[in-house]
Amino acid sequence: MSNQQHREGRQGTDRRGFLAGSAAMAAGAILSQQGSAARGEVRPGQERQLPAAGEFPVKSISSANGREATRIAYDLVMQGKDTLDACVAGVTVVENDPNDTSVGYGGLPNEEGVVELDSAVMHGPSHSCGGVASIRDIKNPAQVARLVMKTTDHVLLVGEGAKRFAIANGFKEENLLTERARKAWLRWKHSLSDNDDWVGELGEEDPALLEAFGGRPTGTIHCASLNANGDISCCTTTSGLAWKIPGRVGDSPIIGAGLYCDNDIGSCGSTGRGEANLKNLCSFAAVELMRNGMSPEQAGLEVLKRVADHTPDRLRDDDGRPNFGLNFYLLSKDGRHAGVTMWGPGRFAVTDADGTRHEESAALYERPRRGGR
Ligand code: GLY
């Protein structure tokens, strides 16, 4: 098989791959049905009335900062574009936005003042994925992640290797640290100790940043899209935890954590404290819970409960609850969607036939979070 054929086989509609996948799925479904029947539960898929091909409800969802991304993704899907290409086009706008300090250009840097980005993509129809982690000087990591998926036999490239791969593919090397992010980083440096050499006044502060940076920001964008044929794809992209130790990789580029998609079931992706998600592989778990009959909201709240149960004491508030934020965005193949959040109120973005809007996330806990990050 030539390299070209190999690539097309992995990304295109590969009939042998489809049949093999269907056989494996059928075997999995039988095992799963035996287990659930024994527990007296609804069998996987039993109540799912799926529309005919061409009649699935087209929809894009994202984290709250991706309202425009969902509109772009939705429009592209309606024009017949691939669902992953639509998601990547949507998040690219946010990656390029210097005012979004959680993603791409303008993202908050690591503890040394260097912006390091993480991203991954997952394409439902071919069940393929790709990611980059800790990549520097490249503004659009989601596009690089898609290239890892499309043009290599690998899933994840990191650090210097990821950057060289991007440059080899024509991406421009550029400084991603905006003046706004640099000043925020410098302010953080000054705040660390009264017993070091960072002294003196910093001058005027950006009030919006001061308000936003009460804790350790972990902003990110996740975007998922469903087309009329029932195909689903998703991607997640981030500058990760602000002021992180260089080389720290969060949940965003890790398949099963920062995102997961099964074209027969649905998708899930995350924003928030990556370490908590990584210890529970929540996106994979949520899709499996949907496979077993849970609604997107039930599945999202269930994985948040698992995170809460597994939270170490040092990250709990006085009432024993997690003192950090974590959010999931879920889209099921039949077109249902949900956002869930550890601490409400929270919201997420949706575009579908009813228009572009923010909706309220379902919250595991309803009060302002205290302390922590
Ligand atoms: N969820 C983004 C991060 O923790 O890096």
Side-chain angles (χ1 to χ4, degrees):
M1 195 187 240
S2 70
N3 278 344
Q4 185 64 26
Q5 287 169 321
H6 177 68
R7 283 198 289 273
E8 285 171 355
R10 293 176 65 224
Q11 304 306 326
T13 309
D14 182 334
R15 183 163 165 73
R16 280 172 304 162
F18 173 76
L19 291 173
S22 301
M25 225 167 51
I30 289 165
L31 287 174
S32 178
Q33 284 173 19
Q34 286 169 347
S36 60
R39 293 191 299 274
E41 295 172 359
V42 174
R43 287 204 313 271
Q46 189 181 31
E47 290 185 345
R48 273 195 316 160
Q49 298 292 322
L50 292 179
E55 294 176 4
F56 284 78
V58 175
K59 181 170 293 195
S60 294
I61 66 167
S62 89
S63 41
N65 56 345
R67 194 182 144 106
E68 179 65 5
T70 65
R71 195 190 56 72
I72 291 167
Y74 177 85
D75 285 349
L76 289 172
V77 170
M78 289 299 282
Q79 290 164 26
K81 292 278 188 299
D82 176 80
T83 47
L84 179 57
D85 291 342
C87 290
V88 171
V91 302
T92 294
V93 171
V94 184
E95 287 176 338
N96 289 344
D97 179 0
N99 292 317
D100 190 315
T101 53
S102 68
V103 183
Y105 179 62
L108 294 175
N110 66 20
E111 68 178 14
E112 294 174 352
V114 180
V115 180
E116 290 180 337
L117 306 176
D118 299 336
S119 181
V121 301
M122 192 149 189
H123 184 240
S126 58
H127 201 73
S128 52
C129 50
V132 289
S134 215
I135 188 171
R136 297 180 174 192
D137 304 325
I138 303 292
K139 189 155 67 175
N140 299 121
Q143 292 178 19
V144 185
R146 182 177 54 185
L147 270 179
V148 171
M149 181 193 89
K150 282 190 164 179
T151 68
T152 80
D153 191 37
H154 305 322
V155 168
L156 183 61
L157 298 180
V158 306
E160 186 59 24
K163 177 175 166 178
R164 296 214 308 251
F165 172 80
I167 290 169
N169 279 283
F171 284 80
K172 196 171 79 180
E173 187 175 357
E174 55 194 310
N175 179 15
L176 304 181
L177 189 67
T178 58
E179 274 301 280
R180 192 167 181 240
R182 185 187 63 75
K183 285 180 181 163
W185 167 73
L186 208 55
R187 178 178 168 276
W188 170 77
K189 292 275 296 178
H190 275 257
S191 73
L192 286 180
S193 170
D194 292 331
N195 193 26
D196 63 17
D197 299 326
W198 294 86
V199 297
E201 293 299 316
L202 281 177
E204 201 177 318
E205 302 270 10
D206 181 334
L209 283 185
L210 287 180
E211 190 181 335
F213 299 168
R216 298 276 303 280
T218 48
T220 299
I221 179 168
H222 170 78
C223 182
S225 294
L226 170 71
N227 72 11
N229 288 325
D231 290 332
I232 306 172
S233 298
C234 58
C235 70
T236 303
T237 179
T238 188
S239 51
L241 178 66
W243 339 131
K244 60 195 171 188
I245 295 172
R248 177 266 189 186
V249 173
D251 56 335
S252 302
I254 306 301
I255 303 301
L259 74 174
Y260 190 72
C261 172
D262 184 316
N263 211 47
D264 291 308
I265 306 300
S267 73
C268 179
S270 68
T271 62
R273 184 182 160 83
E275 281 75 7
N277 183 10
L278 282 166
K279 292 175 186 174
N280 295 277
L281 286 182
C282 294
S283 290
F284 177 76
V287 171
E288 291 306 300
L289 291 169
M290 289 196 284
R291 186 195 304 282
N292 286 318
M294 282 192 184
S295 69
E297 182 174 310
Q298 287 170 331
L301 289 172
E302 172 61 26
V303 294
L304 283 175
K305 276 187 213 134
R306 291 184 190 178
V307 171
D309 288 346
H310 293 155
T311 297
D313 288 345
R314 71 184 172 84
L315 295 174
R316 291 179 187 268
D317 67 12
D318 293 344
D319 297 319
R321 297 173 294 191
N323 68 3
F324 52 82
L326 186 60
N327 317 286
F328 294 99
Y329 314 94
L330 304 100
L331 179 58
S332 67
K333 188 178 177 77
D334 58 14
R336 289 174 295 163
H337 66 268
V340 299
T341 182
M342 186 68 84
W343 286 104
R347 58 188 194 152
F348 64 107
V350 185
T351 298
D352 58 16
D354 294 330
T356 299
R357 61 198 180 273
H358 279 124
E359 291 188 7
E360 284 296 308
S361 296
L364 192 60
Y365 302 114
E366 281 283 359
R367 70 168 172 72
R369 64 193 169 103
R370 287 187 275 177
R373 59 192 192 192

